[in-house]
């Protein structure tokens, strides 16, 4: 399984970006997917996650109401729509996937994820 994150860039505070995570393989619908971010000198932290079916989602507290995670199993892609961006959202954003049986479980723990993408830089200027 390979993950390719894209969609990052430079945006002013209050702006929006949509990140995409394309996942290779025929069993994409068997994976829970999450987005994490890592600011310089800091640890990688959970941002948002989505279950296999897309029926369950979870968000880190600071992004609730601003970010939306979604998936299109027909396109093997997970999206992270980021609105009302703030300078503190600046980080490298990574997508990750993990095989799971339960279709409604969202994985928030970093160490549970098996596969990782290469990351995409998001910079929010004030």
């Amino acid at each position: 399984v390979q993950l390719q994150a894209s969609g990052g860039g430079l945006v002013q505070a209050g702006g929006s970006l949509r990140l995409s995570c394309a996942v290779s393989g025929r069993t994409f619908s068997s994976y829970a997917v999450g987005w994490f971010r890592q600011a310089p000198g800091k640890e990688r932290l959970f941002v948002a996650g989505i279950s296999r079916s897309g029926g369950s989602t979870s968000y880190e507290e600071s992004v609730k109401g601003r970010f939306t995670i979604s998936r299109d199993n027909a396109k093997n892609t997970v999206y992270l729509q980021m609105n009302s961006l703030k300078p503190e959202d600046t980080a490298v954003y990574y997508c990750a996937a993990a095989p799971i049986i339960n279709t409604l479980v969202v994985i928030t723990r970093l160490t549970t994820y098996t596969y990782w993408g290469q990351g995409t830089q998001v910079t929010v200027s004030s």
Side-chain angles (χ1 to χ4, degrees), residues 30-79:
S30 299
Y31 292 85
V33 178
W35 285 97
F36 291 75
R37 65 186 178 186
Q38 187 168 20
K42 297 189 176 181
E43 61 183 326
R44 192 173 298 186
L45 298 174
F46 174 78
V47 175
I50 191 165
S51 62
R52 278 181 53 183
S53 67
S56 299
T57 58
S58 180
Y59 298 91
E60 189 269 327
E61 193 64 34
S62 70
V63 308
K64 284 182 180 178
R66 300 188 298 122
F67 291 11
T68 302
I69 188 170
S70 62
R71 67 188 292 159
D72 185 337
N73 284 351
K75 295 183 178 181
N76 283 21
T77 302
V78 171
Y79 305 97

Side-chain angles (χ1 to χ4, degrees), residues 8-116:
L10 173 63
V11 64
Q12 289 187 330
S16 298
L17 284 174
R18 188 176 81 157
L19 305 184
S20 297
C21 178
V23 182
S24 67
R26 294 176 293 176
T27 58
F28 173 69
S29 61
S30 299
Y31 292 85
V33 178
W35 285 97
F36 291 75
R37 65 186 178 186
Q38 187 168 20
K42 297 189 176 181
E43 61 183 326
R44 192 173 298 186
L45 298 174
F46 174 78
V47 175
I50 191 165
S51 62
R52 278 181 53 183
S53 67
S56 299
T57 58
S58 180
Y59 298 91
E60 189 269 327
E61 193 64 34
S62 70
V63 308
K64 284 182 180 178
R66 300 188 298 122
F67 291 11
T68 302
I69 188 170
S70 62
R71 67 188 292 159
D72 185 337
N73 284 351
K75 295 183 178 181
N76 283 21
T77 302
V78 171
Y79 305 97
L80 185 67
Q81 178 65 45
M82 306 187 296
N83 298 329
S84 302
L85 283 162
K86 304 175 181 180
E88 51 263 44
D89 294 318
T90 295
V92 177
Y93 283 70
Y94 298 89
C95 59
I100 190 167
I101 296 175
N102 191 304
T103 60
L104 292 177
V105 168
V106 178
I107 300 172
T108 61
R109 183 178 294 184
L110 181 149
T111 55
T112 304
Y113 283 96
T114 310
Y115 304 100
W116 289 84

